[in-house]
Amino acid sequence: MTTRHTHTRDRAAGLARYVLDDQPPGGLYARLVRARGPHSEVVLDSTAALAVPGVVLVLTPDDDPGIRFSTNPHGSRDDTSVFTREARFPGDVVGVVIAESRAAARAGSAAVTVHERPLPAVLDPASSLDPSCPAAHRDHPGNELARFAMGCDEADLDRALAGSAHVFEHTSRIDAGPHHFLEPVAAVARWDGQGRCLVRSATQCPGPSSALLARLLDVDPADVHYEPVAIGGSFGGKEEFLLDAVAALASRAAGGRPVTVETDRREMTTAFRVRHAATVRVVTGVDTDGRILARHIDAVFEGGPYAGHSPSVTANGLALALTLYPAPATRATGVCVSLNRVPSGAVRGYGAPQVLFAVESQLDVIGRRLGIDPVTLRERNALRTGDPDPLHGWPVRSFALPSCLRAVQAPQADSGPAAPERPSGGRLRRGSGIAALVNLSGLTGVVGTDRAEAGCRIERGRVLVLTACPDVGQGIHTVLASVAAERLGVPPELVDVEVDAGQADAGLFASRGSYLTAGAVAQAAAELLRRARELSPDGLLGPDGRLRADLEGLAAGGAFAAPDNALVAGAQAAEVEVDCATGVIRVLRVDSAHDTGRVLQRAQAGEQVRGGVLQAVGMALTEGVRFTPDGAVEQTALLAHGVPRPPWRIPVEVHLIEEPHPVGPLGAKGLGESPVMGIVPAIANAVRDATGAELDHAPFTPERVLAALRASPDPTVRAWAGDTFPPTD
């Protein structure tokens, strides 16, 4: 079953149809029952709930299908139940109330008595790996969600460090962060009279989710049909399998009637997913010219009781940091610990911002100690086009980091540290900082060969592009339509995009849309054009500019199997103003350069970068999740999480380095996640430039900044930040 692409203009006009906009006739409403936690055995008493007028039934752990699964639809440790008997974090789902109205479902959920027998909880990351520590998930003792070691062995690393002229050690931390896309998670399911389950869900991955749901329902995968709809933002959050099974089981229990399961903003804020907190230690040995001879990156990521995306987030962050600066001896090690608090999930950047914060902050320190320009130091050490990939060994076919660095260096030279108008010595200090980044455009080498399929057909005088990738608001369907139009030689106005979960494509994630999915669309369009020319050499358009009538129904498929992961280089620079008396940082300007290969939609790409930069500024300055002593999220309101708001007007200059990737039909690479990756270290480096203060714990709240300013080597900075105010001569 397919759903026609919702155009950007429909979203802007409020006409787009999201999951909750089309409640089927005769539908029921469901409300989740959650445990208080943080860790307990639960027994539900639904007597009072069933007495609430309008309540139809209550599902409890007794109704769980008994099949463990991973909320990561691409696969991970199978450790999650639809309705759990053992609640493992505050807000864990233990049941659901189904009713004739939203109000009745809410009242029924509140009336369910959840008896909890407390179990030992794991809430301290530092002690979670102690052998005497209890298990956050009793079926998986040890509290290790994942452990990795990459690169050279320890002996080679130790020898290289011992032979280095200078050795630097740096530790940084990023707190857990909120996950706030606009549309809360929801799902609608119904069963037809032929044993098929029809699901409306805002998922990024309808194909893998369909297969997973079929396994939980114990039905043939062909009997599960996803009806993708407009998606109101995601940033990775809807790359989770969460409510689809709840809706499907509730509908089946209600005789197949449609059931809508929805969450509210409070639930999304406190019991959904957070960005992984991480503490990263980097030890680097260099020669007298600043060339890296040895490096050890060691990270501790903090997850919840369920593995989900945590293993791959940890691995991705380590792998990208190891890739950016190859050296004779490099090693990356890391562990993701299991805690009894809200699970950590897939968030834009997928582990890279946490690790690159440590790597790029330390590189700035190395350059300052050795008197080497930050751009020169990065160019001297970074991966280059033609080098072997440090992890996979294949030749890196394009990696334009030098061009990215020079693009952001020039504007900073005009408004950076040497600018004569910058205040010095006073309360307000200005500085500029730079950071490099690397990302993937797909998962070849991680999951074998990453591959995507797509289709094109002519229907009702228009070209239809068929893809399994939904549009989450970033405009991938506009890209796919433009690719098909270009290959077919028709106006883009004649091309529509439909989401078809039957197409073999793992979905929208890992910045793979412009490389993998668009590549498959290009191949399908080329095949459609070839078949059309077999019928007539004149192409698809008739003399009137319309598609030829004799081509109606013509169809073709295409696939692209990526031989590499199309590494993306980038560099970001920030200029900041620091109030040394209050610790407030004001970002004055950001330059963001990205090696995107061929740019498929320039205006759209620019806005993608600007949005990502603003999101990362929030990560750097204000966004953080605080936990209560029992592991619950302390901030229950959206505003309290410090999410960037419209008044944050930061000038962002976008530099798209258009050097086509020589692999693939389009020469394009990914862009979606790169803009969030280097901003945190760029701002930290700019504050160091302005004040000498070292920021190693994000977000950089005024309290943390003031503490760092009081340790600055500049006595005037210490005076402004300390007890002597204003400073005296």
Side-chain angles (χ1 to χ4, degrees):
M1 185 171 294
T2 62
T3 301
R4 188 172 296 277
H5 164 49
T6 300
H7 293 281
T8 302
R9 61 177 177 269
D10 292 337
R11 293 177 183 268
L15 300 176
R17 308 305 295 175
Y18 298 91
V19 173
L20 298 179
D21 285 334
D22 293 307
Q23 173 67 20
L28 299 170
Y29 297 87
R31 186 76 183 174
L32 299 173
V33 179
R34 298 182 182 273
R36 296 180 298 277
H39 195 191
S40 60
E41 290 180 343
V42 300
V43 175
L44 271 59
D45 182 351
S46 57
T47 305
L50 290 169
V52 173
V55 170
V56 176
L57 61 127
V58 178
L59 301 186
T60 72
D62 292 337
D63 302 293
D64 183 83
I67 302 172
R68 293 286 178 86
F69 65 96
S70 171
T71 61
N72 179 350
H74 311 296
S76 185
R77 188 179 81 183
D78 288 335
D79 56 11
T80 306
S81 301
V82 181
F83 308 118
T84 183
R85 295 183 185 276
E86 182 179 319
R88 300 181 178 92
F89 70 92
D92 210 351
V93 176
V94 296
V96 66
V97 174
I98 301 100
E100 297 286 353
S101 68
R102 285 187 172 95
R106 185 180 292 273
S109 177
V112 174
T113 301
V114 182
H115 299 284
E116 300 189 45
R117 185 178 75 83
L119 297 170
V122 183
L123 300 171
D124 177 23
S127 62
S128 62
L129 298 180
D130 190 291
S132 64
C133 187
H137 193 306
R138 292 190 296 175
D139 294 337
H140 298 276
N143 295 326
E144 283 188 10
L145 296 175
R147 182 177 288 274
F148 298 98
M150 309 173 187
C152 70
D153 60 35
E154 292 185 57
D156 289 342
L157 177 70
D158 290 342
R159 282 192 293 270
L161 285 171
S164 300
H166 306 278
V167 176
F168 297 84
E169 182 174 340
H170 181 93
T171 300
S172 72
R173 175 175 175 78
I174 292 184
D175 288 342
H179 211 330
H180 284 308
F181 37 83
L182 287 178
E183 179 198 23
V185 172
V188 181
R190 57 191 171 93
W191 293 76
D192 66 12
Q194 300 174 335
R196 295 180 302 179
C197 183
L198 310 178
V199 183
R200 291 167 54 84
S201 172
T203 173
Q204 293 177 223
C205 310
S209 295
S210 177
L212 176 53
L213 182 57
R215 180 166 70 89
L216 293 175
L217 297 175
D218 192 24
V219 300
D220 191 307
D223 289 330
V224 175
H225 296 260
Y226 267 69
E227 304 173 0
V229 293
I231 298 177
S234 174
F235 308 115
K238 290 166 184 171
E239 196 185 345
E240 298 269 1
F241 185 85
L242 294 173
L243 300 184
D244 302 4
V246 177
L249 290 170
S251 175
R252 184 158 65 181
R257 291 176 65 183
V259 174
T260 296
V261 184
E262 55 188 313
T263 54
D264 59 27
R265 182 59 62 187
R266 182 186 179 93
E267 287 177 286
M268 294 299 299
T269 302
T270 61
F272 170 61
R273 292 293 184 270
V274 296
R275 183 184 66 241
H276 289 76
T279 301
V280 183
R281 174 176 169 266
V282 183
V283 179
T284 302
V286 300
D287 65 14
T288 55
D289 293 324
R291 289 185 173 84
I292 298 173
L293 303 177
R295 168 169 280 165
H296 182 204
I297 302 168
D298 185 60
V300 177
F301 279 72
E302 298 169 18
Y306 304 116
H309 285 271
S310 291
S312 50
V313 166
T314 305
N316 188 62
L318 294 171
L320 289 178
L322 209 61
T323 298
L324 183 54
Y325 299 110
T330 56
R331 179 174 174 82
T333 55
V335 62
C336 189
V337 300
S338 181
L339 303 169
N340 290 119
R341 65 190 196 196
V342 60
S344 302
V347 183
R348 192 178 192 180
Y350 213 73
Q354 293 92 319
V355 183
L356 290 178
F357 174 30
V359 169
E360 290 299 300
S361 294
Q362 186 193 66
L363 207 59
D364 197 67
V365 171
I366 293 172
R368 289 179 180 275
R369 297 277 178 85
L370 301 183
I372 303 173
D373 175 80
V375 169
T376 300
L377 182 62
R378 286 168 172 81
E379 287 186 324
R380 189 169 291 169
N381 287 287
L383 184 73
R384 291 179 174 271
T385 301
D387 288 350
D389 184 287
L391 293 179
H392 305 293
W394 56 56
V396 175
R397 295 172 172 88
S398 66
F399 196 72
L401 183 58
S403 297
C404 293
L405 289 166
R406 288 191 290 270
V408 301
Q409 181 187 38
Q412 292 296 315
D414 297 333
S415 61
E421 69 274 11
R422 288 169 31 147
S424 61
R427 172 176 169 174
L428 301 179
R429 309 291 178 96
R430 289 190 181 183
S432 62
I434 196 171
L437 61 93
V438 60
N439 194 29
L440 311 173
S441 301
L443 296 182
T444 291
V446 179
V447 293
T449 298
D450 201 355
R451 186 175 185 275
E453 292 184 2
C456 287
R457 74 168 179 259
I458 298 175
E459 184 177 297
R460 298 188 298 276
R462 301 182 64 80
V463 175
L464 299 184
V465 174
L466 303 174
T467 175
C469 283
D471 193 314
V472 297
Q474 88 286 35
I476 185 62
H477 285 180
T478 301
V479 170
L480 301 184
S482 67
V483 166
E486 178 186 73
R487 286 299 170 106
L488 295 170
V490 303
E493 294 77 15
L494 292 180
V495 181
D496 292 319
V497 179
E498 290 189 352
V499 175
D500 179 3
Q503 296 292 325
D505 193 323
L508 191 71
F509 62 97
S511 299
R512 64 194 288 279
S514 293
Y515 184 45
L516 268 296
T517 303
V521 169
Q523 301 289 60
E527 176 61 17
L528 183 69
L529 181 62
R530 186 191 68 79
R531 295 182 182 184
R533 285 177 171 166
E534 285 183 347
L535 299 176
S536 170
D538 297 331
L540 275 68
L541 296 177
D544 58 358
R546 299 180 181 180
L547 292 176
R548 290 169 29 216
D550 62 317
L551 298 179
E552 183 71 15
L554 190 66
F560 174 53
D564 66 357
N565 51 24
L567 288 174
V568 177
Q572 296 177 301
E575 184 183 3
V576 305
E577 183 178 82
V578 184
D579 187 327
C580 294
T582 66
V584 172
I585 299 171
R586 187 162 67 98
V587 179
L588 304 177
R589 173 193 172 105
V590 169
D591 283 84
S592 194
H594 301 274
D595 157 36
T596 59
R598 180 190 168 204
V599 178
L600 301 179
Q601 288 281 325
R602 183 165 295 275
Q604 190 171 304
E607 293 310 305
Q608 182 82 288
V609 172
R610 292 183 181 92
V613 166
L614 187 62
Q615 192 172 15
V617 170
M619 188 192 313
L621 300 185
T622 57
E623 291 185 5
V625 172
R626 299 187 302 273
F627 297 97
T628 65
D630 65 355
V633 174
E634 184 177 291
Q635 312 107 301
T636 60
L638 176 62
L639 187 64
H641 283 263
V643 177
R645 300 186 296 279
W648 289 29
R649 296 178 180 174
I650 300 171
V652 179
E653 189 66 29
V654 179
H655 310 268
L656 300 177
I657 309 302
E658 196 165 3
E659 297 183 12
H661 189 54
V663 175
L666 295 171
K669 298 195 284 187
L671 178 62
E673 294 177 271
S674 298
V676 305
M677 290 184 173
I679 294 298
V680 177
I683 290 176
N685 294 343
V687 171
R688 181 186 297 109
D689 179 58
T691 67
E694 301 284 342
L695 295 179
D696 55 16
H697 191 169
F700 308 139
T701 62
E703 295 82 3
R704 289 172 180 166
V705 174
L706 275 176
L709 294 173
R710 288 167 184 155
S712 169
D714 186 333
T716 64
V717 170
R718 295 199 304 271
W720 279 107
D723 296 331
T724 304
F725 178 80
T728 57
D729 294 335

